Amino acid sequence: MDIKRQSPSNQESTSPSLHDIDERKDSRKNNQDDLLADGIEEAIKKIIASFKLSNTVISLAIAEVTIAFKSIPKFVALWVLIIQMTLIFWLSIIILCAWFAYVLSGSILVGLITAFFVQILGLFFCLHAKKRILLIFKLPKTLGVINEAFK
């Protein structure tokens, strides 16, 4: 009989009551609500931080573009100076070659012909460089990949 009396009391203590189950559900729900609120709060903080970062990046980009636009006149002036110096340098090379030919031959005609051929040589060099540059504009590697893809 002792066993029978102890069994029901043990069963009552091990089986949860409805009140305990409701408290557990409420506790779980509160924990889930807290976790959800924390997650939403963290997401909002990250969104705000990303907006601040994008605002900073945009402000920096605007400042850099402004500086770049203000530098355009300086850049153009520098290129004009570089072009003039390059032309003077090329003219100096022609004169040097013509003078060297005149000194070696003693004839002004040989010096002038040498100047002419140096100028023609420079022209052929520029035409060759132009052809090479125009090949780049045809996108040969891209066209090769496209042609290979559609074979």
Side-chain angles (χ1 to χ4, degrees):
M1 279 215 169
D2 288 335
I3 297 174
K4 288 182 183 179
R5 284 187 190 167
Q6 290 176 356
S7 288
S9 64
N10 285 342
Q11 287 177 355
E12 287 178 11
S13 64
T14 57
S15 66
S17 67
L18 291 176
H19 180 67
D20 291 339
I21 293 173
D22 288 340
E23 284 181 12
R24 286 182 194 163
K25 286 182 181 178
D26 289 340
S27 173
R28 285 182 191 158
K29 188 174 183 182
N30 288 338
N31 286 342
Q32 288 175 348
D33 290 344
D34 289 342
L35 288 174
L36 183 61
D38 289 342
I40 291 173
E41 185 178 331
E42 188 68 29
I44 290 172
K45 286 180 183 178
K46 288 182 180 180
I47 290 171
I48 291 172
S50 67
F51 279 130
K52 287 180 181 178
L53 176 65
S54 64
N55 188 24
T56 303
V57 169
I58 289 171
S59 299
L60 180 62
I62 289 171
E64 285 186 323
V65 166
T66 303
I67 291 170
F69 276 121
K70 287 181 180 178
S71 298
I72 288 175
K74 295 175 189 174
F75 185 71
V76 170
L78 182 64
W79 269 106
V80 168
L81 183 63
I82 288 172
I83 290 170
Q84 289 175 354
M85 291 181 71
T86 304
L87 290 174
I88 291 170
F89 176 72
W90 179 247
L91 183 61
S92 299
I93 289 175
I94 293 171
I95 292 170
L96 182 65
C97 290
W99 183 260
F100 187 67
Y102 168 72
V103 168
L104 286 178
S105 70
S107 170
I108 294 176
L109 184 62
V110 172
L112 291 175
I113 291 173
T114 302
F116 177 74
F117 281 119
V118 170
Q119 189 68 8
I120 295 293
L121 182 68
L123 180 64
F124 282 131
F125 175 78
C126 289
L127 290 175
H128 178 69
K130 181 186 125 195
K131 284 182 183 179
R132 285 184 38 218
I133 290 171
L134 287 178
L135 284 177
I136 293 170
F137 286 115
K138 291 183 180 180
L139 307 172
K141 293 181 182 178
T142 305
L143 289 176
V145 170
I146 291 172
N147 289 336
E148 188 68 31
F150 290 107
K151 279 187 176 181

